[in-house]
Each structure stands twice: as structure tokens, then as C-alpha cells.
């Protein structure tokens, strides 16, 4: 057994560097998606923007485009450095926690997949005459009646269910969300209030997905959002990279051979961080260094990559519980599709102890006045250890980045949080 696997088995925090990463050019050439697919997804979101604005007026400021702010968090950088991070350059928070409609990174991929499916159905049936038709028609009574004949189902630990459930129910679908035991009660309550059906399971995420998929497959009118294999989800997430390019310009951030970009993203099944990473590599090439973060009891992606077994191994196979407070990351087996791509593109991974999540949550709140959910807080282990750990230092040296680190930009991806109810926020802040 490798030294890494031994540490993972013991639920120790690790900094894992991917030994199989290729150059961006070589890696991307082996992936069946390309920049054109991301552009196609971005264009679809533009087509739907008038509809989104009509259905969700809170998106009117951005004309129905669901996008999140990129905020520099200098005070948090100082906090991490006071704790020994040795971080140079600038630190930013990508606030997908504040994405409208469903308050997490799932508002990218999840909503995108529902829209794509709806567009397919609407065009096939003649409800829309083509891509240049008026998409706000899809908010009409006639369209709702049409969509109500169809079901959309998904298995989820919480946030994916919220994005799929909220969007599907809003369009009129019969939305059914299969929730694992990790799912927080408030997420189930909110979904039911929005008109989705929530089915609860005693098992983990994998079990909820199997049930959801089985029920959906048995019903020809039902569509299953398959988080473990979905290319639509993946491409919806990837659009983030195209949009962050413009936000970097606004913030005076350069990414080039002299100005490296480090991105840290919490990982569950891998779809969201995988899609974002794919996009980042397409847009920024070798100058983007992407790292995933997972809980020490549930590091499914790094276990899959380190063993080479990808989705043929789960964290329980190496004796871990798979249990974590980070509900968004409580996935024991990685996506087969995404692990195959990440082997080629990902720089590495950090695992984080659950005990660190709440302290990060409170430090971000105290120093920046920004609230994000515990799963999202996992991301801070990235900048905390990138430049101070032995493995991180070696990565920087091996990639000849030492002299460039003063010019580096670090982006921590805040994957969720704005919909957490006030009483739960207070409880977590006062714990
Ligand atoms: C879903 C989620 C992630 C990870 O996304 P995956 O696609 O499952 O890897 C990270 N953080 C939060 C808050 C999430 O909801």
C-alpha cells in the first residue's frame, strides 16, 4: 500500500500531488469535451436568461444570468498567514455561496441540466419553434401544463437536490428528490415548500442515487439527473471559468506564465469541481493549478485517483466511515467520468479534518463578514497548506514557480451558503 493510501486510511490530513497530470494541451486532447462545448453551454444559458429573469426576479440585476461575485479577502489571507500559511500574492473568494435561485455551486450545473432538458423537450414538441424563439413562453400556463406531464428525479445530499428541485418545480415538472441521510432538514423543508417531492433514505448518497435512478428508469416520462456521469452538469459548471476571466480583468488580476493561478475547490462526487477545473484548464492552460479538497473521512476522489481504481473503489473499502459534517462532500465514491478527466488535469488534493470547518466558518465571518456553509469552508485548507507544506513546496519548486509566487492569485471556491436559515447560521457561529 502506498504511503498516501496509508495516511488516507488513517484519516490523516494529506497534501496529495497528482503524479499523472499532463500538460493542459496533452490532457485536454484526451478529453471528449472541448471549448466549443463550454461555449455551447454558455450560449444556452444566454438563451434562457430572459426566462430566468422572469421566473426569478432576484436575477434581474444580471439580466437573468446566474453568476456570483469574486471578492478579494485580504483579512482572511492575514489570518491564514498568522497561522503559518506563508501565502504570497492575492487571495480571492469565488462566492458561489451567493448564486441566486439555489445558493450553491449547483446553481451552475444543476440548473443548466434542467434547462437543457427543457429546451430539448420544448423544441421536440414544438412548444419552442427554435433557438431564436422567445424563451419566456416557457413560463406560460400552457408550458407548465406541458412540463407537468414529465418528471425530473435526482439523488442528492442536499444542494444538487435544491437546484434541480427548485428549477424543475418552478417550470411545472413533477420534481422528485431522493435525499441521503446526510441531507440537512432545512434543505428538505425548503424543497417541499417549493413544490418538490422529497424522498428520504437511511442510506448514503450512493444508495439515494441507485433508488432514484431505478425509479426514474422504470418511467418513460421521467428524466434522471445522473450526478455520477452527467456531461450536462459537467459543462454547466465549466462555464464558470469563462465568466471568471472577465472578473479577473475587473480586479486587475493577470494570469500568464509569470502570474500563476491557484484554485481550490471542495469535492463531493467530483462534478462541480471537475467541471470548473476543466473550464479553468481550457481558459488558462498550464497557468491554472487546480486542487480539490475533501474531508478526511470521505476523500473519495483522491482514493480513486491514488489507487487508480477511480469509481471502482469507495472510501468504505479502505475502512473510512464516509461520515462528515460537510454534507455537500459526503460522497463515498467518485464520478467515473470526472475521475478519468482529473487524472489528466488535476494538480492535487488536500484533505481536511471536520474539526477545522467551523473555525474557518467563524474566521471568515468575523474577518470578512461573509457567511458560507461548512462544506464550503473546507476550501481554506488549500491556501493554508499550499505554500507551507512539504508537498506544496515541492510542487511549487517542481513547476518552477518559486520566483512567481509573489505574483500568484489564489482563488478559494465558496461552494454554498446563502440559503442557510438564520437560526442555523447562528447556531454554527456560536458553537
Ligand atoms: C455539491 C457540493 C460540492 C461538490 O460538488 P460535487 O459535484 O459533488 O463534487 C461542494 N460544496 C458544496 C457546498 C456542494 O453542495
Amino acid at each position: 500500500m502506498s504511503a498516501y493510501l496509508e495516511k488516507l486510511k488513517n484519516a490523516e490530513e494529506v497534501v496529495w500531488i497528482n503524479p499523472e497530470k499532463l500538460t493542459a494541451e496533452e490532457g485536454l486532447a484526451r478529453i471528449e469535451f472541448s471549448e466549443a462545448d463550454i461555449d455551447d453551454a454558455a450560449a444556452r444559458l444566454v438563451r434562457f436568461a430572459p426566462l430566468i429573469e422572469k421566473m426569478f426576479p432576484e436575477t434581474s440585476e444580471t439580466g437573468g444570468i446566474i453568476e456570483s461575485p469574486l471578492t478579494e479577502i485580504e483579512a482572511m489571507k492575514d489570518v491564514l498567514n498568522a497561522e503559518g500559511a506563508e501565502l504570497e500574492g492575492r487571495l480571492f473568494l469565488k462566492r458561489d455561496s451567493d448564486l441566486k435561485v439555489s445558493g450553491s455551486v449547483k446553481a451552475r450545473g444543476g440548473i443548466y441540466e434542467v434547462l437543457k432538458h427543457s429546451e430539448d423537450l420544448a423544441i421536440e414538441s414544438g412548444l419552442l419553434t427554435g433557438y431564436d424563439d422567445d424563451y419566456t413562453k416557457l413560463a406560460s400556463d400552457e408550458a407548465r401544463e406541458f412540463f407537468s406531464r414529465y418528471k425530473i428525479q435526482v439523488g442528492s445530499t442536499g444542494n444538487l437536490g435544491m437546484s434541480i428541485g427548485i428549477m424543475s418545480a418552478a417550470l411545472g415538472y413533477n420534481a422528485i428528490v431522493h435525499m441521503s441521510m446526510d441531507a440537512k432538514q432545512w434543505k428538505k423543508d425548503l424543497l417541499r415548500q417549493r413544490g418538490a417531492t422529497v424522498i428520504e433514505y437511511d442510506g448514503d448518497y450512493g444508495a439515494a442515487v441507485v433508488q432514484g435512478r431505478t425509479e426514474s428508469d422504470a418511467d418513460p416520462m421521467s428524466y434522471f439527473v445522473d450526478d455520477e456521469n452527467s456531461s450536462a452538469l459537467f459543462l454547466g459548471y465549466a462555464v464558470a471559468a469563462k465568466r471568471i476571466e472577465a472578473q479577473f480583468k475587473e480586479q486587475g488580476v493577470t494570469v500568464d506564465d509569470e502570474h500563476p493561478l491557484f484554485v481550490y475547490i471542495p469535492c463531493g462526487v467530483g462534478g462541480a469541481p471537475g467541471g470548473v477545473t476543466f473550464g479553468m484548464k481550457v481558459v488558462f492552460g498550464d497557468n491554472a493549478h487546480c486542487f480539490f479538497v475533501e474531508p478526511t473521512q470521505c476523500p473519495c476522489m483522491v482514493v480513486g485517483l491514488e489507487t487508480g481504481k477511480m469509481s471502482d473503489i469507495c472510501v468504505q473499502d479502505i475502512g473510512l466511515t464516509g461520515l462528515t459534517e460537510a454534507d455537500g462532500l459526503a460522497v463515498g465514491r467518485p464520478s467515473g467520468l470526472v475521475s478519468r478527466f482529473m487524472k489528466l488535469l488535476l494538480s492535487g488534493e488536500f484533505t481536511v479534518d471536520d474539526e477545522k470547518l467551523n473555525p474557518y466558518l467563524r474566521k471568515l465571518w468575523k474577518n470578512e463578514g461573509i457567511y458560507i456553509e461548512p462544506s464550503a469552508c473546507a476550501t481554506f485548507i488549500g491556501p493554508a497548506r499550499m505554500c507551507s507544506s512539504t508537498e506544496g513546496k515541492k510542487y511549487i519548486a517542481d513547476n518552477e514557480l518559486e520566483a512567481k509566487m509573489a505574483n500568484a492569485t489564489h482563488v478559494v471556491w465558496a461552494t454554498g451558503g446563502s440559503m442557510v436559515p438564520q437560526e442555523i447560521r447562528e447556531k454554527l457561529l456560536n458553537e
Side-chain angles (χ1 to χ4, degrees):
M1 186 182 294
S2 75
Y4 267 125
L5 202 58
E6 191 66 39
K7 283 191 188 171
L8 289 167
K9 217 176 140 81
N10 295 330
E12 286 173 43
E13 286 188 344
V14 304
V15 180
W16 179 83
I17 302 301
N18 180 8
E20 296 183 79
K21 183 182 79 140
L22 301 175
T23 64
E25 194 184 342
E26 289 170 318
L28 291 170
R30 294 199 199 177
I31 289 177
E32 56 267 36
F33 299 112
S34 70
E35 183 158 22
D37 296 307
I38 306 178
D39 291 338
D40 176 63
R44 183 164 288 107
L45 291 169
V46 170
R47 291 200 286 280
F48 271 99
L51 175 70
I52 298 292
E53 185 175 358
K54 185 168 181 186
M55 291 171 65
F56 299 96
E58 69 263 36
T59 64
S60 66
E61 218 172 288
T62 50
I65 293 291
I66 301 171
E67 192 43 74
S68 73
L70 178 71
T71 304
E72 185 159 20
I73 46 169
E74 251 183 303
M76 193 64 185
K77 181 188 159 193
D78 293 342
V79 168
L80 294 173
N81 276 339
E83 294 169 358
E86 301 175 36
L87 206 59
E88 294 177 274
R90 297 172 75 182
L91 178 66
F92 288 88
L93 189 70
K94 182 57 181 156
R95 296 168 67 181
D96 279 4
S97 42
D98 289 338
L99 282 174
K100 298 290 197 285
V101 182
S102 81
S104 81
V105 67
K106 307 300 192 308
R108 297 184 184 280
I111 288 176
Y112 174 74
E113 181 152 357
V114 173
L115 297 180
K116 178 166 190 318
H117 177 61
S118 305
E119 185 181 63
D120 291 345
L121 287 178
I123 285 186
E124 201 183 303
S125 69
L127 200 58
L128 286 178
T129 55
Y131 288 167
D132 54 358
D133 200 357
D134 173 10
Y135 279 43
T136 61
K137 277 185 192 169
L138 300 184
S140 66
D141 290 345
E142 183 200 354
R144 285 187 63 81
E145 195 283 316
F146 171 76
F147 289 129
S148 73
R149 288 180 245 151
Y150 295 89
K151 280 182 194 160
I152 293 188
Q153 308 201 46
V154 65
S156 173
T157 65
N159 286 341
L160 183 65
M162 291 227 289
S163 78
I164 304 285
I166 290 171
M167 183 51 75
S168 309
L171 283 165
Y173 288 101
N174 190 346
I176 305 173
V177 181
H178 302 261
M179 287 274 206
S180 68
M181 63 184 179
D182 313 279
K184 305 287 183 218
Q185 188 60 45
W186 69 265
K187 295 183 181 176
K188 299 179 200 168
D189 295 343
L190 188 145
L191 267 176
R192 288 185 172 126
Q193 185 206 321
R194 296 294 185 95
T197 302
V198 176
I199 303 179
E200 299 173 65
Y201 295 91
D202 292 333
D204 71 357
Y205 167 79
V209 170
V210 169
Q211 272 303 322
R213 191 188 283 126
T214 308
E215 287 188 25
S216 186
D217 288 351
D219 181 349
M221 296 301 274
S222 178
Y223 178 83
F224 185 65
V225 176
D226 188 349
D227 200 12
E228 292 174 332
N229 295 294
S230 166
S231 52
L233 278 176
F234 185 79
L235 293 170
Y237 293 125
V239 173
K242 289 266 164 172
R243 301 209 189 131
I244 208 172
E245 207 181 2
Q247 293 185 315
F248 281 154
K249 286 211 181 84
E250 281 164 26
Q251 300 267 7
V253 168
T254 306
V255 180
D256 63 19
D257 289 349
E258 296 305 316
H259 300 78
L261 170 66
F262 289 78
V263 186
Y264 311 96
I265 324 167
C267 173
V269 72
V276 170
T277 295
F278 169 65
M280 289 290 172
K281 299 303 281 189
V282 164
V283 175
F284 303 105
D286 291 323
N287 298 316
H289 304 271
C290 301
F291 292 85
F292 285 3
V293 177
E294 295 183 287
T296 49
Q297 281 293 345
C298 206
C300 68
M301 184 62 73
V302 69
V303 168
L305 290 171
E306 170 63 14
T307 58
K309 293 190 177 162
M310 309 312 206
S311 57
D312 292 332
I313 189 166
C314 68
V315 299
Q316 287 81 4
D317 290 340
I318 65 163
L320 294 171
T321 61
L323 299 176
T324 169
E325 257 315 295
D327 54 333
L329 317 181
V331 178
R333 187 185 300 277
S335 154
L337 178 85
V338 175
S339 49
R340 184 160 54 80
F341 298 163
M342 291 306 107
K343 178 182 150 148
L344 310 168
L345 301 178
L346 192 67
S347 290
E349 270 235 17
F350 298 84
T351 61
V352 61
D353 244 22
D354 267 33
E355 274 96 273
K356 294 211 170 100
L357 303 180
N358 205 293
Y360 283 141
L361 186 148
R362 274 178 278 152
K363 283 171 202 166
L364 185 68
W365 174 250
K366 183 161 164 255
N367 293 283
E368 303 283 355
I370 297 173
Y371 184 90
I372 63 177
E373 64 184 89
S375 301
C377 293
T379 187
F380 285 107
I381 196 75
R385 303 200 65 194
M386 184 70 232
C387 304
S388 57
S389 62
T390 316
E391 300 86 345
K393 283 188 157 83
K394 183 168 184 307
Y395 178 89
I396 290 167
D398 288 349
N399 287 276
E400 296 171 11
L401 296 170
E402 286 138 311
K404 303 174 185 172
M405 292 309 284
N407 303 331
T409 298
H410 299 268
V411 175
V412 285
W413 218 277
T415 43
S418 63
M419 291 177 92
V420 178
Q422 193 58 30
E423 68 271 19
I424 294 174
R425 286 186 187 214
E426 276 163 23
K427 191 166 154 269
L428 288 169
L429 286 170
N430 297 324
E431 232 164 46

